């Protein structure tokens, strides 16, 4: 999704930090791809356009650490 200008916060070791908002975005992306049979690229464009201007909450304590090398499978 970063290709479509939805960026995730990253730690110094390049691991992604998922905030609550990012989890919502990932669930929406998954729904578009798996339930609505949308292509990954089209789903990413829709998600990025819908969520990229909504600010992330920086002081969120519910952070999930995630390796950037894990990809969703269709």
């Amino acid at each position: 999704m970063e290709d479509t200008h939805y960026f995730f916060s990253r730690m110094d070791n390049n691991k992604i930090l998922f905030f609550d908002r990012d989890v919502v975005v990932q669930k929406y992306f998954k729904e578009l791809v798996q339930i609505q049979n949308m292509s990954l690229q089209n789903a990413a464009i829709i998600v990025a356009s819908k969520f990229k201007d909504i600010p992330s909450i920086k002081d969120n304590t519910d952070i999930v650490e995630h390796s950037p090398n894990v990809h969703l499978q269709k």
Side-chain angles (χ1 to χ4, degrees):
M1 283 194 297
E2 292 177 319
D3 290 341
T4 58
H5 302 283
Y6 181 89
F7 297 100
F8 297 98
S9 298
R10 292 185 182 267
M11 296 173 45
D12 290 338
N13 60 1
N14 206 30
K15 287 188 177 179
I16 297 173
L17 293 176
F18 281 115
F19 293 95
D20 285 342
R21 176 192 135 186
D22 300 321
V23 173
V24 170
V25 167
Q26 289 291 326
K27 286 180 181 179
Y28 183 58
F29 179 77
K30 181 180 176 182
E31 177 184 324
L32 291 175
V33 172
Q34 292 182 345
I35 296 172
Q36 297 186 24
N37 296 318
M38 193 172 290
S39 72
L40 294 174
Q41 183 64 29
N42 286 342
I45 291 168
I46 289 170
V47 168
S49 67
K50 183 173 181 172
F51 291 98
K52 71 179 179 183
D53 294 329
I54 299 172
S56 181
I57 299 171
K58 301 283 187 203
D59 59 353
N60 190 332
T61 57
D62 298 330
I63 297 173
V64 179
E65 199 175 300
H66 182 69
S67 172
N69 297 326
V70 176
H71 300 283
L72 289 177
Q73 294 181 351
K74 188 172 178 183

